[in-house]
Amino acid sequence: MTETPELRPVREEQAIVLDHLENGYPFEQVSVKTPIVQALGTEHLTLLELIPKKGTVLQPLQKVYIGEGKREEIHHIKGRIPAEKLTATGRNTLHEAVEEVVDMHEARFIEFFNKAQPLSMRMHQLELLPGVGKKHMWEVLNARKEKPFESFDDIKERVKLLPDPKQLVVKRIVSEIEGKEKYRIFAH
């Protein structure tokens, strides 16, 4: 049976390490603790629990390959984890890791500013970004009519009063990952 693209599970190829617990979770009640890596997938922004290969030491913000091919540092993917399960180090590293993903895939997030549509008669996708109200929304829509945005700097330059657009995206993604948002526009 072949899977249709919509039913195929979301798979990550790369991840950014949020925390590496060499002795597993301290609160686990098992005699042999398994080392755990908490990570953020770079494509779909999913929080993952990974099992590192024996003897591997990983640092926060280190990129690791977790795709189908030969993995150097990671033995296997244990699964997704909720934000509540992140360690203090994992939570503290999350914002920086999200910033790195936004930098890596800037074009994808600029496309959001160029193609965002109304959600309803009263609400626009742009208004889902923290700090963006009707006034900023109209400024963005009018500026993109003239010509599509090319970068975060381009948005900053052409939409004068908009707070830092990159940081708006980063804050929104972190908020989605933490489960604080009704609508998900970036994180899966």
Side-chain angles (χ1 to χ4, degrees):
M1 179 178 116
T2 59
E3 294 180 41
T4 61
E6 307 85 54
L7 298 177
R8 194 173 299 136
V10 171
R11 295 216 189 274
E12 298 280 4
E13 289 286 314
Q14 301 279 332
I16 297 174
V17 174
L18 299 175
D19 195 6
H20 181 188
L21 299 106
E22 292 181 54
N23 299 312
Y25 291 111
F27 51 82
E28 273 185 330
Q29 301 295 321
V30 291
S31 56
V32 180
K33 294 191 176 185
T34 307
I36 294 287
V37 173
Q38 293 183 334
L40 175 70
T42 60
E43 187 63 34
H44 303 288
L45 299 156
T46 48
L47 289 178
L48 300 167
E49 208 168 54
L50 313 172
I51 307 298
K53 289 188 173 179
K54 269 194 181 9
T56 301
V57 177
L58 300 167
Q59 298 302 315
L61 299 177
Q62 182 177 337
K63 286 190 190 95
V64 291
Y65 175 74
I66 58 171
E68 295 293 320
K70 185 175 177 345
R71 302 178 187 142
E72 297 297 319
E73 304 96 349
I74 302 301
H75 185 272
H76 68 276
I77 300 166
K78 190 171 178 187
R80 288 178 154 202
I81 55 170
E84 303 83 58
K85 197 169 178 183
L86 286 178
T87 61
T89 302
R91 278 191 299 277
N92 292 337
T93 311
L94 181 61
H95 188 89
E96 233 179 305
V98 169
E99 269 190 16
E100 201 168 314
V101 171
V102 171
D103 285 339
M104 287 166 46
H105 301 288
E106 183 175 351
R108 171 175 141 199
F109 299 105
I110 297 306
E111 186 177 337
F112 171 77
F113 281 92
N114 286 326
K115 295 189 174 175
Q117 297 295 316
L119 290 168
S120 69
M121 295 291 282
R122 296 174 187 262
M123 184 76 161
H124 196 281
Q125 280 181 317
L126 290 168
E127 292 177 275
L128 296 176
L129 296 174
V132 175
K134 298 279 183 219
K135 186 175 180 192
H136 288 127
M137 176 201 69
W138 284 112
E139 288 178 25
V140 169
L141 294 176
N142 290 331
R144 80 179 190 191
K145 264 186 211 166
E146 294 168 28
K147 119 180 194 224
F149 297 112
E150 294 170 11
S151 66
F152 285 123
D153 290 335
D154 184 27
I155 295 170
K156 250 194 267 189
E157 200 168 291
R158 291 170 45 201
V159 184
K160 297 287 186 222
L161 298 174
L162 186 71
D164 182 353
K166 177 184 164 189
Q167 285 308 312
L168 294 178
V169 169
V170 170
K171 282 180 188 168
R172 175 65 195 204
I173 292 169
V174 169
S175 190
E176 286 181 23
I177 289 170
E178 291 174 342
K180 296 176 182 173
E181 301 297 339
K182 179 179 176 183
Y183 300 104
R184 286 180 163 244
I185 49 178
F186 300 119
H188 296 281

